[in-house]
Amino acid sequence: MSIKPIIYLPDPILRQQSQPVERVDKELERFIEDMIETMYDAPGIGLAAIQVGVPRRLLVIDVAGKDEPRNPQVFINPELVATGDAMSVYEEGCLSIPDYYADVERPEAITVRHLDRAGKERVTEADGLLATCLQHEIDHLNGVLFIDHISKLKRDMVIRKFTKLARQRVTA
Ligand code: NI
């Protein structure tokens, strides 16, 4: 297993459309283990493959509380098939936009069709934090970031700040 470097805003890779996973095999299983390790190391509660530079429709999530045992969940080719009418607001962050947080409103409850890590088709009904996290990660697969759900003024400020940081990383 190995920890993969995470890609930061404003890297254009984050805006790519991820393509479906075609085969659930040993190689994918190794990559899933790396993603889970990378998510825990960060630490974060969700990670999409594109955030480590792999444009495949794959994400890992663990929304277990601090005092609960780890519960990594794997979603391959996830598809949002239903959303409830009720909305909820969570303060979101993103491993690709470190140390920036903002309130985002999303549907409270969703239904997702996907493959599990064994390649078996599943339907997951989620609400609360898991529903928010799943929507955030599925957005990543479509090149969408949580800052796309906040005001343009705030978004432009964040992008400017991270563009400056990236320039400093290159010249340092
Ligand atoms: Ni994110």
Side-chain angles (χ1 to χ4, degrees):
M1 290 202 291
S2 64
I3 292 164
K4 305 278 187 196
I6 292 172
I7 289 168
Y8 299 123
L9 185 76
D11 195 316
I13 288 175
L14 293 171
R15 294 305 191 175
Q16 273 183 31
Q17 279 281 334
S18 292
Q19 301 303 313
V21 170
E22 282 167 5
R23 255 190 317 278
V24 179
D25 56 12
K26 274 260 159 344
E27 199 187 330
L28 186 78
E29 180 58 29
R30 269 195 297 273
F31 179 61
I32 288 169
E33 286 302 327
D34 288 348
M35 279 186 57
I36 291 171
E37 198 185 352
T38 303
M39 172 178 71
Y40 287 138
D41 176 70
I45 61 171
L47 184 70
I50 192 67
Q51 291 179 276
V52 294
V54 176
R56 290 284 168 229
R57 303 189 79 81
L58 165 65
L59 49 96
V60 297
I61 288 179
D62 189 341
V63 291
K66 273 200 181 74
D67 304 323
E68 293 168 345
R70 281 180 170 179
N71 179 31
Q73 291 178 271
V74 177
F75 297 84
I76 300 169
N77 298 340
E79 215 183 308
L80 205 57
V81 289
T83 56
D85 292 333
M87 305 293 281
S88 67
V89 176
Y90 276 94
E91 189 180 59
E92 296 189 22
C94 180
L95 293 178
S96 295
I97 314 173
D99 302 318
Y100 181 76
Y101 303 90
D103 283 348
V104 177
E105 188 182 51
R106 300 182 189 267
E108 220 286 312
I110 58 168
T111 305
V112 175
R113 191 187 302 139
H114 60 98
L115 303 179
D116 66 14
R117 60 196 296 172
K120 195 170 182 298
E121 198 167 306
R122 301 265 180 198
V123 175
T124 296
E125 291 186 6
D127 59 12
L129 182 58
L130 179 60
T132 285
C133 192
L134 263 169
Q135 291 172 83
H136 174 122
E137 301 307 333
I138 291 172
D139 271 357
H140 273 300
L141 306 183
N142 299 319
V144 175
L145 300 170
F146 84 94
I147 55 169
D148 298 333
H149 297 286
I150 64 178
S151 75
K152 184 176 178 339
L153 186 75
K154 282 191 195 163
R155 179 167 60 250
D156 288 348
M157 268 169 54
V158 184
I159 292 172
R160 258 203 308 279
K161 183 181 155 201
F162 277 83
T163 303
K164 211 168 133 193
L165 282 173
R167 227 178 274 134
Q168 282 165 358
R169 269 198 296 274
V170 172
T171 52

